[in-house]
Amino acid sequence: MTQRQPLPSVIKFNQLLNALTKMKHFSSCLHLFKQMSLIGVPVDAYSINIAIKCCCSLFRTKDGFALLGCCFRRAVVPDVCTFNTLLDGLVLEDRILEAEILFKKLIKQKLCEPDVVTYNTMIQGLCKFGYNDIATGLLRLMDERGCKPDVVAYNIIVDSLCKDKMIDDAFNLFKEMVFHKLVLPDVITYNSLIHGLL
């Protein structure tokens, strides 16, 4: 592909990057991304998002943030997927305070409108460290801001409450989920509750 004149479109390169990522060949994908930049392929937001995902999957979130800087230098506007990937990378690396700072910055500076994935990533990170109250508060904020919590958001908190032996709180949240918010539970919800009761 790099030998052809004119070069193939960025779409063809993105398809290759995507295929490498799906096969979990993250280092190879980053190498290809670097080659693309060197030979002058006009990388777009999609290419950069894939490269950031690879960095985060390799526990190199700092490199992901460097690529975010690359977005700004190339006048590529990062989207909610870009920030979701970086938040997920921070959570994977147990850097929950930095994830929280980034999340607040997204809202205050209106860098992007957080979606369900953004909130679920933060809720997952907070529950990972036992911050169930803050995660529940974030669930409320999510609803207030017009982003309807899904079964995944509830499942994360219910599971965390059950693991922390806070079974009454888990059942209260379950009742809210089913009877007030009309979110249908799934097998994961019930498994968490059964495990908590056991």
Side-chain angles (χ1 to χ4, degrees):
M1 287 171 73
T2 59
Q3 303 297 316
R4 285 178 54 189
Q5 288 299 328
L7 285 168
S9 75
V10 70
I11 295 165
K12 297 292 181 193
F13 282 100
N14 286 347
Q15 289 171 340
L16 185 55
L17 289 174
N18 200 31
L20 286 168
T21 304
K22 283 182 178 174
M23 294 187 299
K24 300 191 185 304
H25 295 302
F26 305 122
S27 296
S28 299
C29 184
L30 287 172
H31 180 70
L32 175 62
F33 178 80
K34 188 176 179 181
Q35 280 185 301
M36 286 168 58
S37 300
L38 289 172
I39 63 171
V41 176
V43 296
D44 58 10
Y46 191 77
S47 320
I48 294 174
N49 281 349
I50 292 172
I52 290 172
K53 180 176 177 58
C54 290
C55 289
C56 293
S57 298
L58 292 167
F59 297 92
R60 291 168 40 193
T61 306
K62 282 185 182 178
D63 293 340
F65 278 100
L67 284 169
L68 179 63
C70 178
C71 275
F72 297 120
R73 284 193 301 279
R74 292 173 182 258
V76 174
V77 180
D79 58 12
V80 70
C81 292
T82 312
F83 293 110
N84 287 348
T85 304
L86 289 166
L87 278 171
D88 191 49
L90 291 170
V91 169
L92 278 172
E93 293 179 17
D94 295 338
R95 295 162 61 188
I96 191 64
L97 292 177
E98 291 170 68
E100 194 175 349
I101 290 166
L102 176 60
F103 179 78
K104 286 177 180 174
K105 190 182 257 190
L106 294 181
I107 293 173
K108 284 180 185 170
Q109 296 181 7
K110 297 183 179 172
L111 297 173
C112 73
E113 187 58 40
D115 62 7
V116 175
V117 176
T118 318
Y119 284 103
N120 288 353
T121 301
M122 280 306 300
I123 289 169
Q124 179 79 48
L126 291 164
C127 288
K128 187 177 178 181
F129 288 93
Y131 299 133
N132 298 321
D133 290 343
I134 300 171
T136 306
L138 192 55
L139 190 73
R140 308 273 181 264
L141 176 71
M142 182 180 182
D143 204 21
E144 285 169 22
R145 292 182 61 88
C147 187
K148 189 175 179 341
D150 61 1
V151 68
V152 176
Y154 282 102
N155 283 349
I156 294 165
I157 301 174
V158 166
D159 186 60
S160 182
L161 289 167
C162 288
K163 284 178 179 169
D164 290 346
K165 297 180 175 45
M166 300 169 74
I167 199 72
D168 291 337
D169 292 336
F171 270 100
N172 287 337
L173 189 62
F174 173 75
K175 287 174 192 169
E176 175 192 311
M177 166 189 168
V178 176
F179 300 114
H180 299 290
K181 300 300 179 182
L182 305 176
V183 176
L184 292 175
D186 61 12
V187 68
I188 296 169
T189 319
Y190 290 116
N191 283 346
S192 296
L193 290 167
I194 291 166
H195 178 77
L197 287 168
L198 290 172

